[in-house]
Amino acid sequence: MTKQRQLWLKIATIIGLILVLQIPLIWVDSAMSERQYYHTQAAENIAQSWSHRQVVTGPILVVPYETQYKENVWDKNLEAYVTRIRTRQNTKILVPEKNLINSDVSVERRYRGIYSAPVYTSQIDIEGHLDLTPIGAIKKEEGFVKIGQPSLVTFISDLRGVSEIPVLHYNDKELPFNAGTPIRTGQQGLHVDLTLDVLTSLDYEFSIKLKGSNALSFYPVGDNNTVNLVSAWPHPKFNGKFLPDTREIRDNGFSVSWSLNSLSSNLNEIIQACERGNCEELLNTYFGVEFIEPISAYSLSDRAGKYALLFLLLTFAAFFLFEVFKSLLIHPLQYLMVGLSLSIFYLLLVAFSEHMSFTLAYWGSALACIGLIGFYSSYVLCGATRAITLSSALLLIYTLMFFILRSEDYAFVMGAILLFAILTAVMVITRKFNWYRLGEVVPKQG
């Protein structure tokens, strides 16, 4: 076999090894996904025991009333149409003219084994003003019979999170809330039965101590609404139909405020649909905040895994250049050993990050792999200086990748710049190399 063919066989063998090494990398990726699944399940179990994400809707005043109407029906006995009096159950929903919600949220971690998830306890203070004059208009409707029991209703998505029974303060009165709502929606909530015979307006206030996990959202149904929320959690993500009007995010927490009116929220049509029995849009419209970890250990490990092929290519290219320029012979099994060392870095990273901070896990895994490759390379490359050069290059790349992984907003552009810089370095190093004479410089054992 000619030297040229031997060299191309070596290149083909290296490419084949890179393909073979995708098998352990796929296995490592599967292990990452499995651990991520366990973490998700643990977070769900914590939410089951604590309380799920919360959505607070309302308050609204629900006024049931009866009307009667005449209906002509066929009487078989008389063989003629007769007029019958029918009763219809109706619902009138009144929304506040002004509604103010202030919420202070305290976030902590709860654990299931080695896994954790953020949960919160919130103090929600609600106050507002209701105009009751539309109740008088009900009595003027055709066929009006009577008004039922009015109730002030607030919907809460998971009542298990209500840690104390809220008390409604209105017009110098105090009444505790009861579980359930007079509207059949399938949604959980609280209500207070009110006596409004002599009232033309209602000024109310109450507080809810509410536990939840992952997210806290609101839909304050009123003509004019203001929601203020503060928390010491440094990583909020705002969700829902409306973004905040003002927000301030600091390293030690955030404060945020929404302002909403009935025109921007299309509230009138939503309330009219709910009066007819379709409250789906009312109960599925919300805005709020998620308490997230923007760079979790699993997402960082997964992001690091995307650079695995690049590490293999660069390291094998460095070994190949040593073969070409330094007259060495490196066996394919030696390439394989180094490739496996690079692959196991990601497995160590996931395993360590479950028990310590990601920074310590990353550098512990990186230094262990660099040290192993450096020690092995001192024999493969026939010299400590060459091994130190290779290890230094790996250390530089791992350092650059660490900063890329820790960057939320600039990870993509930093990764692109790194790839460009590496390609530039390879092109500069090999710029004077005559690739047509590659077969003439096949190395001998050094």
Side-chain angles (χ1 to χ4, degrees), residues 1 4-22 312-313 316-317 320 323 330-337 339:
M1 182 181 294
Q4 183 77 16
R5 295 183 66 181
Q6 288 178 355
L7 188 60
W8 284 110
L9 179 61
K10 171 59 71 70
I11 294 174
T13 301
I14 293 173
I15 294 174
L17 287 173
I18 291 175
L19 295 177
V20 169
L21 284 168
Q22 299 309 300
L312 286 175
L313 288 172
F316 282 10
F320 179 74
E323 283 198 74
I330 302 176
H331 195 276
L333 284 178
Q334 292 172 316
Y335 277 93
L336 181 62
M337 293 291 185

Side-chain angles (χ1 to χ4, degrees), residues 104-225:
D104 190 344
V105 184
S106 176
V107 185
E108 61 179 296
R109 289 187 177 278
R110 290 296 173 106
Y111 289 83
R112 284 291 186 274
I114 63 173
Y115 304 107
S116 67
V119 299
Y120 62 82
T121 302
S122 59
Q123 172 74 25
I124 303 174
D125 300 319
I126 303 175
E127 61 180 77
H129 174 80
L130 266 163
D131 179 18
L132 302 180
T133 55
I135 296 179
I138 296 176
K139 300 177 181 180
K140 299 178 182 179
E141 288 189 17
E142 183 179 356
F144 170 79
V145 178
K146 66 176 181 178
I147 290 178
Q149 177 62 64
S151 300
L152 190 71
V153 176
T154 297
F155 296 97
I156 297 175
S157 55
D158 191 348
L159 278 182
R160 294 178 306 135
V162 180
S163 54
E164 294 182 6
I165 298 177
V167 176
L168 175 68
H169 302 267
Y170 77 102
N171 295 46
D172 299 325
K173 296 182 180 180
E174 294 183 3
L175 288 174
F177 277 86
N178 299 299
T181 70
I183 301 178
R184 296 182 179 179
T185 61
Q187 177 72 286
Q188 301 180 44
L190 302 170
H191 76 279
V192 179
D193 294 333
L194 303 177
T195 301
L196 305 175
D197 295 338
V198 296
L199 298 179
T200 58
S201 65
L202 178 70
D203 293 305
Y204 61 86
E205 62 179 57
F206 59 96
S207 298
I208 303 174
K209 289 186 177 180
L210 190 63
K211 299 186 300 182
S213 57
N214 185 254
L216 175 61
S217 303
F218 301 93
Y219 187 42
V221 282
D223 292 331
N224 294 281
N225 307 276

Side-chain angles (χ1 to χ4, degrees), residues 48-61:
Q48 288 284 359
S49 302
W50 182 261
S51 185
H52 286 96
R53 60 190 301 157
Q54 296 285 10
V55 180
V56 180
T57 303
I60 58 176
L61 184 65

